Amino acid sequence: MIKNEQQYQHSLDWLQRFEQSIASLDSNEHLKAELERWKLHRDSYQSQVDELKSEITEYERLINCDTSKPLKIKVDSLNKLPNALIKARIAAKISQQELADILGIDEQRVKEYEDTDYQCASFVEILEVSTALGVEFETATVQVDFAEIEAVKKSVDKWRKGKLNIKTKASKDY
């Protein structure tokens, strides 16, 4: 996800480079003789082009949105909420410094939030940012996946038993 003008410019530069690489591959008859190898290289570059174009389009949509109307940002899971907060800030044309001023915190803290996709923010801090940016949930559906809960329990038990075995082995070695 492109989070600022610098990343946007960097993405435009890389898009141009990847497109030039594709053009170079397309004109390389020697490499085309090895069709599978040529296709592998071209597909990998094309994948990067497609991803960059998508991110650039999304960033341009945000920076050019009509702020006189509410913007809808789809959030597929709670894990994607940080991206929605960053998108809301960009679309509102609020700098990190302005958001920090609204929140009454240092700009560096807002940078940390966004650089870590809000992993360093508490739930209360995320709510404060949401409020400052006018982010409201229209509808939220929570699905409890009981099979996933059981899988997590098993993974945790296995990890704990492995950790216990390491401790037991280490204490026997003394």
Side-chain angles (χ1 to χ4, degrees):
M1 178 182 154
I2 299 172
K3 298 178 182 178
N4 56 47
E5 185 65 24
Q6 182 181 1
Q7 290 179 0
Y8 173 65
Q9 292 301 324
H10 193 69
S11 296
L12 288 172
D13 181 48
W14 275 105
L15 174 61
Q16 183 180 15
R17 290 180 191 189
F18 280 117
E19 287 177 332
Q20 287 171 349
S21 294
I22 289 173
S24 177
L25 279 172
D26 288 347
S27 65
N28 186 335
E29 296 303 321
H30 178 69
L31 188 58
K32 280 185 176 179
E34 298 178 59
L35 189 60
E36 284 187 42
R37 183 174 166 217
W38 173 83
K39 185 169 175 23
L40 183 67
H41 284 287
R42 193 181 191 294
D43 288 350
S44 67
Y45 288 140
Q46 187 62 52
S47 173
Q48 292 296 316
V49 165
D50 294 345
E51 187 175 331
L52 284 167
K53 281 184 176 181
S54 174
E55 289 182 12
I56 289 166
T57 299
E58 175 67 3
Y59 186 78
E60 290 173 344
R61 180 183 78 91
L62 294 171
I63 62 174
N64 295 316
C65 77
D66 180 359
T67 57
S68 68
K69 302 175 194 168
L71 174 68
K72 296 202 185 276
I73 299 171
K74 187 174 180 190
V75 179
D76 294 324
S77 73
L78 197 54
N79 294 337
K80 300 296 182 186
L81 179 59
N83 287 348
L85 295 176
I86 296 166
K87 288 177 182 182
R89 181 189 59 74
I90 293 167
K93 296 163 183 52
I94 295 175
S95 69
Q96 290 177 332
Q97 179 63 59
E98 290 171 307
L99 180 57
D101 292 343
I102 293 167
L103 296 169
I105 60 176
D106 289 333
E107 178 184 9
Q108 186 59 37
R109 186 68 178 150
V110 173
K111 287 181 186 209
E112 289 173 8
Y113 289 162
E114 293 189 3
D115 288 347
T116 65
D117 292 327
Y118 282 83
Q119 290 181 18
C120 66
S122 71
F123 184 69
V124 170
E125 290 169 322
I126 291 171
L127 291 176
E128 289 170 347
V129 170
S130 298
T131 301
L133 294 172
V135 171
E136 297 177 9
F137 285 95
E138 286 186 351
T139 304
T141 302
V142 177
Q143 177 177 310
V144 179
D145 186 339
F146 297 107
E148 180 68 18
I149 293 170
E150 290 305 315
V152 169
K153 284 181 183 179
K154 287 178 183 176
S155 292
V156 169
D157 285 344
K158 184 177 177 182
W159 178 80
R160 285 186 179 145
K161 286 177 184 174
K163 190 175 176 183
L164 183 61
N165 288 341
I166 290 170
K167 284 183 181 179
T168 304
K169 183 180 178 190
S171 64
K172 287 180 181 179
D173 290 343
Y174 284 109

